Amino acid sequence: MANEVKVPTLGESVTEATIGEWLKKPGEAVALDEPIASLETDKVAVEVPATVAGVMGEYKAEVGDTVEVGAVIATIEEGSANAGPEDTKERKESKESPAPSPTPAPAASSSDDSKVDPSATLSPAVRRAVLEHGIDPSTVKGTGKDGRLTKEDVLEAAKNKKSGGDASQGQQASGGEAPAAGPGRKVERVKMTRLRQTIAKRLKSAQDTAALLTTFNDVDMSAVIEARSQYKDLFAKKHDIRLGFMSFFAKAACLALKDVPSVNAQIEGDEILYHDFVDLSVAVSAPNGLVVPVVRNIEEMSFSEIELAIANYGKKAKDGTLTMDDMKGGTFTISNGGVFGSLMSTPIINPPQSAVLGLHRIEERPVAVNGEVVIKPMMYIALSYDHRIIDGREAVTALKIIKDAIEDPMRILIDL
């Protein structure tokens, strides 16, 4: 008996997804609740669990297909894994019409069981590595399950390519006709992931809809660096988490948003919604794009609670286990481009929010202090905001409050 596997409910307002990867092949044993497929939604990757135990049947959709909530994407047959894909198909043929459609399984070629169709089996992390390093996945032997490529396989191939071990160069050299272009000039067409498409649409929509403006300031990080240096070991021992810069900036932002509530507000129709809480969206890097999970009621949290929450989201983003609830809402965003070496940027707001704080790298620079030039660890900070709801005076004031709190962390403690 064939049991249908349907696209599960994906979250509020999410009605469709894209097949990102099949985790089980037809004929393989499947345990109850074992993931059989990965779906890419507008915000996160979602695994589809097996509804029953048995043998993986046929795929009803291919990698890259868009499927709606409730749509049947595969079947699971009753039986054991000893019955291969042919047996599964024969059982299905005996129950249905004599001419069923072929199974669109992304299986290996019958002439070479060690290779699989790369376009059908690349995970988001592997696809990103392939693009970054310019590797042709069809030339790399996968070491993952069922011969799938892993990120490590791609990185090793990139290393060999740099050292002159690219097999494709040797093939070109032995050919009878000279190549039209020089070595390394490749163009590869890869479909954008649903998440990347959504990021592109949302950022463009923010530019088209909001009246965006950015104000800048610079911050002397000496006090925070000194505080971290003095208390980092005790903090880590007591709370089992590293004391980072983000908790300081989160707390400083709460002071600013309390004093300048429009920066924590949003437009809804012809009304302005003011929030007496701060649900902080923290931009973190995931294998298939930037995501912004939300730390809720951050104004009530301690430094250790903030650091633990952010670290947990970072791990979930890396593992691809963020949920829709993790991403929902948010009243203000902090994006730290400094971890990638950015000196200055103009971040784009995360609609329907009205402002975003951009952090950048810490760099020792000469500054004037009491008429003397001294070297200080400085950071440029930027506040991008929607000028429809936030006046320039309010934006500058909010950023100045953040600057003052970072340069004198005692302000955070005494709520000044």
Side-chain angles (χ1 to χ4, degrees):
M1 178 179 177
N3 296 273
E4 295 180 337
V5 179
K6 298 181 179 180
V7 177
T9 301
L10 300 171
E12 184 180 356
S13 76
V14 181
T15 60
E16 61 182 21
T18 300
I19 303 290
E21 180 182 9
W22 285 107
L23 305 177
K24 285 289 184 178
K25 285 184 178 181
E28 289 187 338
V30 177
L32 178 63
D33 293 330
E34 183 179 9
I36 64 169
S38 175
L39 302 179
E40 295 179 357
T41 71
D42 291 349
K43 297 181 179 180
V44 295
V46 178
E47 290 185 340
V48 180
T51 52
V52 296
V55 177
M56 189 68 188
E58 66 173 317
Y59 302 151
K60 298 292 187 180
E62 299 180 1
V63 171
D65 286 353
T66 297
V67 290
E68 297 183 350
V69 172
V72 177
I73 59 172
T75 59
I76 297 177
E77 304 282 347
E78 293 181 353
S80 64
N82 293 331
E86 296 80 5
D87 295 331
T88 300
K89 185 175 179 181
E90 289 176 1
R91 288 199 304 270
K92 186 170 183 65
E93 288 177 352
S94 66
K95 296 181 181 179
E96 299 182 358
S97 63
S101 58
T103 300
S109 169
S110 59
S111 61
D112 187 355
D113 292 337
S114 66
K115 294 184 179 179
V116 295
D117 178 8
S119 64
T121 58
L122 297 185
S123 68
V126 174
R127 281 200 299 269
R128 183 179 181 186
V130 164
L131 291 174
E132 288 180 349
H133 297 282
I135 299 299
D136 181 357
S138 65
T139 64
V140 182
K141 183 176 181 180
T143 60
K145 185 177 180 181
D146 301 321
R148 292 190 181 96
L149 285 184
T150 66
K151 185 177 180 181
E152 289 70 24
D153 295 332
V154 177
L155 295 178
E156 182 64 25
K159 181 179 178 182
N160 293 336
K161 183 178 179 181
K162 289 182 179 179
S163 62
D166 190 353
S168 63
Q169 293 181 4
Q171 293 172 355
Q172 289 179 355
S174 62
E177 187 174 339
R185 290 175 57 85
K186 291 184 178 181
V187 177
E188 183 175 4
R189 189 183 301 273
V190 178
K191 185 177 179 180
M192 293 173 67
T193 64
R194 177 171 290 272
L195 175 60
R196 176 53 60 185
Q197 293 179 51
T198 301
I199 291 173
K201 290 177 182 177
R202 286 176 62 85
L203 294 181
K204 185 57 181 172
S205 175
Q207 288 183 319
D208 293 341
T209 303
L212 291 178
L213 192 63
T214 304
T215 182
F216 298 92
N217 216 317
D218 59 355
V219 178
D220 180 358
M221 298 293 293
S222 299
V224 169
I225 291 175
E226 183 180 349
R228 291 181 68 231
S229 177
Q230 183 174 352
Y231 297 110
K232 63 180 182 180
D233 293 337
L234 291 174
F235 188 90
K237 183 177 181 180
K238 180 175 181 179
H239 302 293
D240 196 27
I241 188 68
R242 176 177 170 269
L243 177 59
F245 291 118
M246 188 62 77
S247 52
F248 285 93
F249 278 100
K251 282 297 191 180
C254 288
L255 292 180
L257 302 182
K258 180 180 178 181
D259 286 356
V260 190
S262 62
V263 181
N264 195 42
Q266 64 189 53
I267 294 176
E268 188 174 281
D270 58 357
E271 297 178 330
I272 299 175
L273 303 183
Y274 292 96
H275 307 97
D276 66 351
F277 54 87
V278 179
D279 285 352
L280 183 67
S281 299
V282 182
V284 295
S285 181
N288 54 346
L290 193 71
V291 293
V292 279
V294 180
V295 183
R296 307 186 195 284
N297 294 110
I298 202 165
E299 77 283 357
E300 298 178 356
M301 300 174 69
S302 66
F303 277 68
S304 61
E305 290 171 334
I306 294 172
E307 293 292 351
L308 286 166
I310 294 174
N312 180 53
Y313 278 143
K315 184 178 185 302
K316 292 178 73 173
K318 182 179 179 181
D319 296 340
T321 57
L322 286 170
T323 67
M324 288 295 179
D325 286 339
D326 293 334
M327 314 284 287
K328 190 184 302 181
T331 63
F332 182 75
T333 296
I334 296 181
S335 179
N336 185 8
V339 297
F340 304 109
S342 172
L343 176 65
M344 186 180 293
S345 68
T346 56
I348 300 178
I349 64 173
N350 179 25
Q353 298 173 22
S354 298
V356 52
L357 175 67
L359 309 182
H360 303 91
R361 75 170 185 252
I362 301 172
E363 187 175 59
E364 289 192 341
R365 294 198 298 270
V367 295
V369 178
N370 298 325
E372 295 183 356
V373 176
V374 296
I375 304 298
K376 292 280 190 178
M378 304 296 294
M379 175 196 288
Y380 289 117
I381 57 176
L383 184 73
S384 290
Y385 59 99
D386 188 347
H387 213 339
R388 296 178 302 165
I389 182 176
I390 304 170
D391 294 332
R393 175 185 60 82
E394 294 174 315
V396 172
T397 299
L399 197 62
K400 183 63 164 56
I401 292 172
I402 294 172
K403 169 184 169 68
D404 291 343
I406 295 298
E407 293 185 339
D408 182 7
M410 183 61 70
R411 288 173 173 265
I412 299 174
L413 179 62
I414 62 178
D415 192 15
L416 183 59

